[in-house]
Amino acid sequence: MTGASASQRPLAGVRVLDLSWFGAGPIAGRALAAAGADVIKVETVKRIDGLRAMAPRPRGARGYNLSGYFNNYNANKRSVTIDLTTERGHELGLTLVRWADVMLTNMTNRAVRQVGMGWETVSRENPRLVAVYMPMMGTTGPHRDFQGFGAMLTAICGMNYLAGFAENRPVGVGTNYPDYVVNPMHAYIATLAALRHARATGEGQAIDVSQDESSVAAMSLPLFMHDNGGGAYVRAGNRVPYAAPHGAYRARDTADRSDRWVALACLDEGQWQTLASEICGHPEWAEDARFLTLADRLSNEEGLDSLLAAWVSEQDGEELVGRLQGAGIPAGLVQNAREMLEDEHVRERGYFVQLEHAEAGLRWYDGPGWRMSESPVGLDRAAPMLGEHTFDVAMDLLGLSADEIADLVAEGVLQ
């Protein structure tokens, strides 16, 4: 999107007060910013966004402006430091509420009350405001004051139960998946719908995004199995009832890469015949009574996987994937982070973008997960440093003089 004017972006002119931290809230805010919204992120020095203090960061680096996670999730935003728990800071916060079209927070309900940004208060200050509340368990219900992050949500919503093998404990998905994907995009879509309503009627509204319920929405298959068939979901690793073989198999180590894995699937008999006879050079596998039909292969999947794993372990992964794809068999390399950044297809489409950060230097940032033919979206500004825009926002939006700003800094209201 670099080079596109602000007026071309679909959310140009939309103003967002971002009171969120860590993952789900900031990512939703970044999606709004990528679409052209002016997003002002509010923090305090005494309680920074905790993600600022977390790795990864450049080797040997220290400070609150160098976290790769924080910077990636907060690109295209402005940063101000206001202590909303002080009387004067709360007044300034309400001034920003009156300025905003959207207020976004994933703080706990208790924290929202502490800073005085509940719906009753903010809607009185700005009746057209869209206020997005994203506490882990929602704003109502017996568990409304529970707190936690994506790693807890993957367990609470049932996601961890789906990963691994039946004979082993649930292993989860290895990442805070709801924070990165489900929760922020549900909040983003709900915000767009509420903005449309506000523009048509002049009426704002509160949006209650329970991160738990948002995560459960992605668990439809096992829930429907239980409700419609009465059966329990059984963890089966990479195995599925409609294809065999179906899995990831370790290929031969090479000079530039060890731990290389090839994912492949045979979805019909023709693919299995081609794999066994033409790719692997073992026509006897296709004639083996254990593997004649899909039902046979599913019944003997351990033996099938053992044969295939031994054969793939002697192959060059990249060359094998090329042969499989050329023969019409679904296959791909299991890529690590470096390979994703270097992937020629992703590079050509321009998904990742490099942005220059004042302290972190030139770094890669995720782009949005979609593009629009008439309304450009994307990132063109690196994440803000802590409080980078406090003075400008205090002067231009809050109407404070330089002397007033200095006094508020001395008092700890502005930091």
Side-chain angles (χ1 to χ4, degrees), residues 19-168:
L19 304 181
S20 65
W21 70 330
F22 275 91
I27 295 173
R30 187 189 64 175
L32 295 167
D38 181 6
V39 180
I40 294 180
K41 182 178 179 70
V42 175
E43 302 172 75
T44 67
V45 172
K46 70 180 184 183
R47 189 175 178 81
I48 60 168
D49 184 332
L51 209 56
R52 284 188 179 274
M54 296 180 66
R57 54 170 56 88
R59 195 179 302 276
R62 294 181 179 275
Y64 290 148
N65 299 314
L66 296 165
S67 167
Y69 275 150
F70 176 89
N71 288 345
N72 194 37
Y73 299 159
N74 290 280
N76 272 35
K77 299 180 184 179
R78 295 194 277 172
S79 170
V80 302
T81 44
I82 304 174
D83 187 349
L84 299 175
T85 64
T86 64
E87 181 178 356
R88 186 70 176 111
H90 183 249
E91 292 173 359
L92 297 175
L94 293 182
T95 299
L96 289 176
V97 165
R98 291 189 290 272
W99 164 83
D101 300 300
V102 176
M103 187 190 81
L104 172 68
T105 178
N106 62 335
M107 292 188 290
T108 63
N109 294 312
R110 183 178 61 180
V112 169
R113 291 192 297 269
Q114 287 175 339
V115 298
M117 291 294 173
W119 173 240
E120 183 177 333
T121 299
V122 299
S123 62
R124 183 173 60 246
E125 296 293 326
N126 184 353
R128 59 178 174 76
L129 182 71
V130 172
V132 188
Y133 297 95
M134 301 176 64
M136 185 172 77
M137 305 302 290
T139 62
T140 62
H143 298 163
R144 62 184 177 274
D145 289 325
F146 284 11
Q147 55 186 316
F149 297 94
M152 296 178 65
L153 278 168
T154 56
I156 293 170
C157 77
M159 186 178 297
N160 282 1
Y161 185 82
L162 309 183
F165 294 90
E167 63 271 18
N168 297 329

Side-chain angles (χ1 to χ4, degrees), residues 20 26 85 122 140 168 170 186 191 201 256 268 273 294 302 398 408 411 415:
S20 65
T85 64
V122 299
T140 62
N168 297 329
H186 282 170
T191 301
T201 67
D256 63 338
D268 58 40
Q273 293 286 338
L294 173 61
E302 291 289 344
L398 300 178
L408 290 172
E411 296 169 11
Q415 300 162 340

Side-chain angles (χ1 to χ4, degrees), residues 65-66 71 355-363 365 382-385 388:
N65 299 314
L66 296 165
N71 288 345
L355 301 174
E356 185 72 43
H357 188 278
E359 290 191 20
L362 191 64
R363 300 290 168 189
Y365 287 71
M385 294 184 292
E388 179 180 349

Side-chain angles (χ1 to χ4, degrees), residues 156-222:
I156 293 170
C157 77
M159 186 178 297
N160 282 1
Y161 185 82
L162 309 183
F165 294 90
E167 63 271 18
N168 297 329
R169 63 183 176 85
V171 297
V173 294
T175 186
N176 298 344
Y177 178 83
D179 279 358
Y180 306 144
V181 182
V182 184
N183 301 161
M185 290 303 100
H186 282 170
Y188 178 72
I189 293 168
T191 301
L192 296 182
L195 278 172
R196 181 183 178 89
H197 175 82
R199 286 183 173 179
T201 67
E203 299 174 350
Q205 61 185 299
I207 298 175
D208 179 351
V209 181
S210 161
Q211 292 189 40
D212 179 43
E213 293 168 10
S214 172
S215 304
V216 169
M219 301 293 102
S220 58
L221 176 59

Side-chain angles (χ1 to χ4, degrees), residues 30 34 72 350-353 365-370 377-379:
R30 187 189 64 175
N72 194 37
Y351 173 71
F352 294 110
V353 59
Y365 287 71
D366 286 333
W370 62 92
V377 294
L379 305 175

Side-chain angles (χ1 to χ4, degrees), residues 365-403:
Y365 287 71
D366 286 333
W370 62 92
R371 59 196 66 203
M372 303 165 70
S373 63
E374 304 301 324
S375 305
V377 294
L379 305 175
D380 55 8
R381 298 197 317 276
M385 294 184 292
L386 181 61
E388 179 180 349
H389 304 96
T390 300
F391 186 85
D392 291 340
V393 169
M395 289 279 287
D396 299 338
L397 297 184
L398 300 178
L400 301 175
S401 68
D403 288 342

Side-chain angles (χ1 to χ4, degrees), residues 269-286 311 315 319-320 323-324 326-329:
E269 296 307 311
Q271 290 176 359
W272 164 240
Q273 293 286 338
T274 299
L275 175 66
S277 301
E278 298 179 22
I279 303 296
C280 298
H282 286 284
E284 71 277 11
W285 291 358
W311 184 83
Q315 312 303 311
E319 187 272 338
L320 175 58
R323 291 172 59 201
L324 290 166
I329 297 173

